Amino acid sequence: MSGKNGIVTGAGGGGIGRASALAFANAGARVLIMDIAAEPLEETARLIGEAGGTAETMVGDASDEDFAAQMVARTVELWETLDFAHNNAGIGIAATPFAQQERSTWDRVFTLNAFGAMSFMKHELRQMEKQGFGAIVNTSSMSGKNGSPGLSPYDASKWTAARGSSVSSETAGRSRLRAAGVVRWLHDGSFCTHRLSLRRVGRYRRCAHRS
Ligand SMILES: NC(=O)c1ccc[n+]([C@@H]2O[C@H](COP(=O)([O-])OP(=O)(O)OC[C@H]3O[C@@H](n4cnc5c(N)ncnc54)[C@H](O)[C@@H]3O)[C@@H](O)[C@H]2O)c1
């Protein structure tokens, strides 16, 4: 990853985004990281700096398409290329029977988990198509693949993100981007949660590495 440049969204929490950003930086990449929460985002940047890596931060909303475009433009302005992106920002919901789900819950999870990730991917792909290379990973969920009781809005948003990724992968293949693995969709979060539930230490780091 040395000399590569990328974006990680939702990198401020104590979870997968921070672990991903640290993993990329530890492998020698420069990362432009974002989160809606400023302080934890700065903490991620501080951890990367302490480890000798390079991180720049942008605070914003990962469901905002204009912000996605700005992040891609900023990456190119800083480092000339966008080699990779990990669209990870996402929110969960409280388990609720389907018939009691509010429309506002559907709106909230779709706005970030599905539309946000797709907007980021759209602008990342535009830059990668221009360059002729690049790789994108979107964090989906096993819950999106298999479903979980009471989580239909979340499950559907994650499935949408996953399917959107594979459609983009076909498009990218046609435009002669590195077709194999240009866009991959992962269910890593829950997979790792289940696999590592007996040994939680390092769980997120392992998830990030699998990504
Ligand atoms: N933890 C799991 O077991 C699991 C399982 C399946 C999928 N996932 C997915 O993995 C991703 C990361 O989850 P996590 O468990 O590391 O959670 P987390 O809460 O640690 O990280 C999510 C981050 O996204 C940020 N965020 C929330 N709304 C945002 C917005 N509008 N704009 C920008 N940033 C925003 C939060 O501030 C937080 O830092 C999510 O997409 C989640 O759905 C997690």
Side-chain angles (χ1 to χ4, degrees), residues 105-123:
T105 304
W106 286 91
D107 285 344
R108 200 163 46 83
V109 285
F110 264 79
T111 298
L112 178 60
N113 296 359
F115 306 147
M118 295 305 96
S119 296
F120 264 80
M121 196 161 64
K122 169 180 157 183
H123 290 281

Side-chain angles (χ1 to χ4, degrees), residues 7 16 66 72 139 142 155 161-162 168 189 196:
I7 286 172
I16 296 167
D66 290 341
V72 171
T139 307
M142 281 302 281
D155 297 349
S168 294
L196 303 172

Side-chain angles (χ1 to χ4, degrees), residues 99-178:
Q100 267 69 58
Q101 293 285 1
E102 299 289 345
R103 165 65 188 259
S104 57
T105 304
W106 286 91
D107 285 344
R108 200 163 46 83
V109 285
F110 264 79
T111 298
L112 178 60
N113 296 359
F115 306 147
M118 295 305 96
S119 296
F120 264 80
M121 196 161 64
K122 169 180 157 183
H123 290 281
E124 290 155 358
L125 269 175
R126 282 184 178 178
Q127 175 59 29
M128 289 173 181
E129 282 172 353
K130 220 185 288 177
Q131 303 165 171
F133 57 84
I136 301 173
V137 172
N138 296 309
T139 307
S140 181
S141 171
M142 281 302 281
S143 196
K145 185 174 177 233
N146 298 333
S148 299
L151 298 183
S152 293
Y154 176 81
D155 297 349
S157 72
K158 287 297 184 180
W159 182 241
T160 300
R163 285 305 302 158
S165 306
S166 56
V167 169
S168 294
S169 184
E170 291 161 18
T171 312
R174 278 204 301 277
S175 64
R176 294 199 298 176
L177 275 170
R178 192 155 50 96

Side-chain angles (χ1 to χ4, degrees), residues 9-18 34-37 40-41 60-64 67 86-92 112-113 139-143 154 158 186-194 203-204 207:
T9 73
I16 296 167
R18 175 175 289 170
M34 71 79 67
D35 204 284
I36 203 160
L41 182 67
D61 187 343
S63 63
D64 177 350
F67 189 78
H86 182 187
N87 302 317
N88 163 77
I91 47 170
L112 178 60
N113 296 359
T139 307
S140 181
S141 171
M142 281 302 281
S143 196
Y154 176 81
K158 287 297 184 180
L186 301 175
H187 301 298
D188 263 359
S190 282
F191 176 73
C192 290
T193 303
H194 297 318
R203 166 180 141 195
Y204 289 119
C207 289

Side-chain angles (χ1 to χ4, degrees), residues 21-35:
L22 277 161
F24 280 125
N26 286 339
R30 293 174 287 217
V31 282
L32 179 57
I33 56 177
M34 71 79 67
D35 204 284

Side-chain angles (χ1 to χ4, degrees), residues 5-8 21 24-25 29-33 48 54-56 79 84:
N5 318 304
I7 286 172
V8 180
F24 280 125
R30 293 174 287 217
V31 282
L32 179 57
I33 56 177
I48 289 172
T54 304
E56 294 281 333
W79 304 311
F84 64 89

